[in-house]
Amino acid sequence: MRIQDNIRKCYYEFDRQRGCFSRKDNCDVFLGKKIVTNGRAIPVYVLEYKNVQSLGVMAMKDVLKRQLNSPELLRVYSLIESRDSITGKYNAYGILEYVDGVTLDRFVVGDIQGCSIVAKTNIMNLFSDYSNNREEFATKVILELANVVETLNNNGFSIANLEPSGIIVSSSGTIKLLDYGIPVGQIAISHETAALGRMLHYLMTGSEYTGSPKKIESSPIRTIVGRSLSNKYT
C-alpha cells in the first residue's frame, strides 16, 4: 500500500501481505519504507489505526504539534489520513522512526523475526543473557521503562498499559516504545505503577499477570527494582 505525504513531498509504502511486525490493542504495526524524491528508500514503522478518532491518533497529533522528541521514544515523522482501497474507509497512519530490533513479546521466547540479518546475532546474545539471568535483565528493562514513563509524564502523556507488542528491544539492547500513551489527567499514577509491575511479572515469568492489581502495584516493583526507581513509582 502507498500513502502520500503531500507536506513532506514523499510517500510511504508497506505490504499487508507480509503480515504485521506487531499487533497492538488499537493499531497494527507494519515495517514500511519512506520513498523520497530521488527514489531512495528509508525504513520506517507504519502504525495503522482503523479509528481516526482513537486516543492513539490524538496522542500522535499532540506529539507532532509540540514537536516532542525524546531518545527513549521513537520519533513521529508524520500522521496521515488516507482512504483504504479495500474497505473504502479512512484510516490514520502514524509514520515512526525505525529501530532495528524485535518486539518484547517475541524477544522473551527467542523469536528474532522482524529484525535485520545484521541485528540477529546481537539479539540472540541479548536473549542468552536474559535466559541466564532474568532478574538482572528484567530490572534493567523496568528501570528504562520507568524513565520512559516519567519522560512521557513530563511532556503531558500518561500510559496505563505497557504492551509487550508495543515495546521494541533494539539490537544494542535499548528499549523503545511504539506508544506515546494518552493525555495526562485521564489516568491515575497508580495505574502506571501497576503497568510497570505487570511488565516486571511478564519479564520474570514470560506470562501475563492475572492477579490483583493492588498486589502488583507494590511488591514486585519494590522487591526487584527497589530504590532505583523514582518514589513516584514505588
Side-chain angles (χ1 to χ4, degrees):
M1 179 173 177
R2 176 176 292 189
I3 308 165
Q4 186 69 38
D5 189 337
N6 294 323
I7 296 176
R8 290 163 182 79
K9 307 299 182 185
C10 65
Y11 60 89
Y12 307 94
E13 289 183 347
F14 71 94
D15 186 357
R16 280 202 187 94
Q17 293 184 350
R18 292 183 58 187
C20 295
F21 171 76
S22 174
R23 179 161 281 146
K24 300 167 76 271
D25 283 348
N26 59 355
C27 70
D28 292 338
V29 183
F30 297 91
L31 292 177
K33 54 187 177 182
K34 173 184 177 181
I35 311 296
V36 294
T37 51
N38 62 4
R40 189 164 61 99
I42 301 170
V44 294
Y45 290 119
V46 179
L47 277 61
E48 183 179 52
Y49 295 88
K50 302 294 186 183
N51 181 2
V52 296
Q53 301 297 327
S54 70
L55 291 173
V57 173
M58 290 171 58
M60 284 206 179
K61 286 181 178 178
D62 203 13
V63 168
L64 287 167
K65 182 179 178 180
R66 294 191 288 132
Q67 298 184 333
L68 176 60
N69 190 12
S70 172
E72 300 100 340
L73 301 164
L74 296 177
R75 183 180 176 186
V76 180
Y77 293 134
S78 187
L79 180 64
I80 304 166
E81 289 188 14
S82 180
R83 188 177 181 182
D84 190 308
S85 59
I86 298 175
T87 65
K89 296 180 179 180
Y90 278 87
N91 297 335
Y93 297 91
I95 311 299
L96 270 63
E97 167 193 8
Y98 172 78
V99 173
D100 203 354
V102 297
T103 52
L104 189 60
D105 56 335
R106 288 179 174 174
F107 175 82
V108 298
V109 295
D111 182 354
I112 57 175
Q113 299 301 314
C115 65
S116 70
I117 296 175
V118 175
K120 285 183 177 180
T121 299
N122 288 344
I123 294 292
M124 286 309 299
N125 288 337
L126 289 170
F127 177 72
S128 177
D129 292 341
Y130 166 67
S131 300
N132 292 330
N133 194 335
R134 286 196 172 195
E135 183 172 319
E136 181 179 330
F137 187 88
T139 301
K140 173 183 177 295
V141 170
I142 291 298
L143 286 171
E144 287 191 37
L145 287 175
N147 288 332
V148 172
V149 170
E150 195 155 24
T151 296
L152 286 168
N153 279 174
N154 292 338
N155 286 280
F157 296 91
S158 185
I159 288 185
N161 186 30
L162 291 165
E163 300 176 56
S165 60
I167 298 171
I168 296 177
V169 181
S170 75
S171 59
S172 61
T174 58
I175 300 298
K176 296 276 189 177
L177 282 192
L178 279 164
D179 192 357
Y180 279 75
I182 68 173
V184 163
Q186 298 188 35
I187 295 178
I189 292 299
S190 62
H191 291 179
E192 292 181 335
T193 307
L196 289 168
R198 288 193 298 270
M199 181 56 63
L200 181 58
H201 181 275
Y202 179 80
L203 288 165
M204 294 294 291
T205 66
S207 61
E208 293 184 9
Y209 180 79
T210 57
S212 166
K214 289 293 183 183
K215 184 177 180 181
I216 202 70
E217 278 180 21
S218 56
S219 57
I221 294 292
R222 292 183 179 182
T223 55
I224 302 295
V225 182
R227 296 180 180 178
S228 299
L229 281 176
S230 162
N231 292 332
K232 187 178 186 180
Y233 302 103
T234 57

